Amino acid sequence: MLPESTNGTGGGGEQVVPMAWWSAESMADELLRTGRLVAPGSLEYLAGRQTLALTIYLCDETGALAGARAVARIDEWLSRTSHGHPWPQWVRERLAAREAREPRGGPGPDLLLARRTWRRLESTEVLAADLTAAGRPVEESAQVWTPAWQLGLPLGHLAIHLY
């Protein structure tokens, strides 16, 4: 992703690459593929991957997500994706905090991709089983339109558990 204001280069002439976002997305993809919960390429898979990638990215304060360090964060990812955690509120707060720390030139490519993903997860609705039936078994025939993140969150949580 190339920032418009620098004509494709960073301040020192180098190209700006969203490595933190790509690392988070790659880890999310690995978690979902390993879990084999849904078919890759399906709407459910995309919702799960985007939800997990956003969670992983926002949990990584340093932007230095790497294999061994990433696996050490699994407990935090499980906590953030657990049932009852105010995930959407947490996402909004973390995005705002990241934005406040960005340099004057505007948000970097990682944050731009994260914000775009969050907007997509919020605005895309999918027809799915009603997972909000508190205390009752899920009735799969009772389907409701729900934001994509509400489908992706429990899928992501389960994928983390299976990893």
Side-chain angles (χ1 to χ4, degrees):
M1 174 173 247
L2 304 175
E4 294 175 32
S5 62
T6 59
N7 198 22
T9 61
E14 70 277 357
Q15 191 167 2
V16 180
V17 179
M19 291 306 294
W21 178 258
W22 285 349
S23 294
E25 201 169 55
S26 176
M27 177 57 74
D29 194 58
E30 181 181 337
L31 289 166
L32 283 168
R33 285 184 189 278
T34 301
R36 297 182 182 184
L37 297 168
V38 293
S42 67
L43 188 58
E44 294 87 355
Y45 186 89
L46 291 172
R49 188 182 74 197
Q50 290 176 344
T51 301
L52 271 177
L54 196 53
T55 303
I56 292 167
Y57 171 74
L58 292 174
C59 282
D60 183 31
E61 290 293 323
T62 65
L65 187 67
R69 294 181 73 194
V71 173
R73 307 297 298 260
I74 286 179
D75 287 339
E76 184 177 5
W77 302 341
L78 282 170
S79 171
R80 299 293 180 202
T81 59
S82 66
H83 180 72
H85 182 272
W87 191 81
Q89 178 183 347
W90 175 79
V91 168
R92 287 184 201 102
E93 289 169 0
R94 289 304 270 257
L95 285 173
R98 289 269 175 112
E99 199 165 297
R101 290 194 310 258
E102 286 290 314
R104 291 181 73 105
D110 294 303
L111 185 55
L112 288 173
L113 287 168
R115 285 195 325 207
R116 185 181 313 158
T117 298
W118 174 236
R119 282 193 304 271
R120 193 176 316 124
L121 285 168
E122 266 191 316
S123 64
T124 302
E125 290 195 340
V126 293
L127 189 59
D130 186 1
L131 301 176
T132 62
R136 299 184 318 237
V138 173
E139 178 60 46
E140 290 191 35
S141 63
Q143 295 189 330
V144 295
W145 287 100
T146 184
W149 68 264
Q150 285 185 346
L151 177 63
L153 199 59
L155 180 61
H157 184 78
L158 186 55
I160 296 167
H161 263 295
L162 294 173
Y163 187 68

